[in-house]
């Protein structure tokens, strides 16, 4: 599940919720995830084709998340109430009475670099167990619309588990077109390839009729005594 969690962190660093249909293509390298990830967004729903055999569908309105495993023709569904229970388990893991750590800040490095066609400023962000570098393009088309909408997705489904591991969308002064995340010694690099506005078929957000439901993992978090 570690690879899937890294994918979730990477994915929700870029997901957006907008009124138009969007298709976001990214190149992902590292942590056994090398390949192209395509995110399709329509209304409240988003679908990420993380790798050929795996897709995730998130309903931003309900908070439910479905993972499709195409080779086995199976799916796993994690409803919103299950996610809330997972968050409560994570909170119990913290030592009683422990002071909350100050919120990490997105810090400019003063360095600049071009990524593809975009001039970027490089920012760093560090939290407990997570180190991130962002190449941010202030001239990216329509980036304010994407950033303003990212908050909704980060507050839905499994993305809530990764909120403390990435900056808030409102912290970004432009579009993050490249990201390097290091978690537990594993580095994942994500590069934004394209963002297009096009009609997305609503059928992509439904579970295929011939897929069987698989049991959901336990997700046990030991508590701190």
């Amino acid at each position: 599940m570690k690879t899937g969690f890294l994918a979730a962190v990477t994915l929700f660093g870029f997901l957006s919720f907008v009124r138009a249909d969007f298709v976001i293509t990214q190149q992902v390298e590292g942590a056994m995830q090398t390949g192209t990830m395509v995110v399709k967004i329509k209304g409240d729903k988003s679908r990420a084709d993380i790798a050929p055999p795996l897709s995730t569908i998130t309903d931003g309105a309900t908070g439910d998340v479905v993972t499709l495993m195409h080779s086995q023709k199976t799916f796993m569904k994690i409803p919103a109430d299950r996610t809330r229970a997972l968050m409560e388990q994570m909170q119990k893991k913290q030592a009683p009475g422990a002071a909350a750590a100050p919120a990490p800040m997105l810090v400019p490095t003063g360095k600049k670099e071009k990524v593809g066609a975009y001039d970027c400023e490089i920012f760093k962000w560090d939290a407990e167990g997570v180190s991130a570098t962002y190449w941010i393009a202030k001239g990216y088309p329509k980036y304010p619309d994407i950033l303003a909408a990212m908050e909704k997705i980060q507050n839905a489904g499994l993305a809530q588990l990764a909120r403390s591991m990435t900056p808030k969308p409102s912290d970004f002064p432009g579009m993050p077109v490249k990201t390097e995340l290091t978690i537990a010694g594993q580095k994942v690099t994500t590069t934004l390839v394209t963002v297009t506005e096009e009609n997305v078929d609503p059928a992509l957000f439904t579970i295929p009729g011939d897929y069987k439901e698989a049991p959901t993992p336990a997700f046990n978090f030991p508590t701190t005594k």
Side-chain angles (χ1 to χ4, degrees), residues 4-225:
F5 187 69
L6 283 171
V9 173
T10 305
L11 166 65
F12 291 112
F14 283 91
L15 272 177
S16 62
F17 165 76
V18 287
R19 293 187 181 279
D21 294 357
F22 271 66
V23 176
I24 302 173
T25 303
Q26 304 166 59
Q27 184 66 30
V28 182
E29 300 177 58
M32 299 179 291
Q33 297 172 211
T34 299
T36 300
M37 177 166 63
V38 180
V39 180
K40 299 179 177 70
I41 301 162
K42 189 179 188 70
D44 284 345
K45 297 180 180 180
S46 64
R47 170 177 171 142
D49 295 311
I50 300 171
L54 182 68
S55 300
T56 61
I57 299 171
T58 301
D59 189 325
T62 66
D64 294 342
V65 177
V66 173
T67 299
L68 303 176
M69 292 157 285
H70 303 296
S71 57
Q72 297 94 347
K73 288 193 173 184
T74 59
F75 70 93
M76 288 190 299
K77 183 176 181 179
I78 301 181
D81 57 355
R82 180 70 185 278
T83 301
R84 287 193 292 269
L86 292 175
M87 293 184 67
E88 289 175 0
Q89 289 185 29
M90 294 180 68
Q91 290 169 357
K92 289 178 182 178
K93 183 180 177 182
Q94 299 176 354
M105 299 291 292
L106 192 64
V107 180
T109 65
K111 298 178 182 179
K112 297 182 179 181
E113 189 174 304
K114 196 161 189 174
V115 178
Y118 297 98
D119 294 318
C120 300
E121 296 181 22
I122 301 175
F123 288 74
K124 296 285 290 184
W125 190 92
D126 292 285
E128 184 178 355
V130 182
S131 177
T133 303
Y134 294 93
W135 284 255
I136 296 179
K138 295 182 177 180
Y140 197 91
K142 296 189 177 182
Y143 85 82
D145 296 334
I146 299 173
L147 294 178
M150 285 167 65
E151 296 279 1
K152 183 177 179 69
I153 292 296
Q154 286 194 346
N155 288 327
L158 291 174
Q160 298 176 73
L161 302 178
R163 280 184 305 186
S164 63
M165 304 180 75
T166 57
K168 295 184 298 183
S170 56
D171 291 339
F172 290 118
M175 185 69 181
V177 296
K178 180 180 175 180
T179 301
E180 285 186 356
L181 281 173
T182 302
I183 305 172
Q186 297 190 61
K187 184 169 75 172
V188 180
T189 301
T190 304
T191 305
L192 187 62
V193 180
T194 59
V195 179
T196 60
E197 291 185 76
E198 58 184 86
N199 185 50
V200 175
D201 186 353
L204 291 172
F205 306 98
T206 61
I207 300 171
D210 59 343
Y211 280 40
K212 305 295 184 182
E213 186 166 8
T216 305
F219 294 114
N220 291 318
F221 294 96
T223 57
T224 301
K225 296 182 179 179

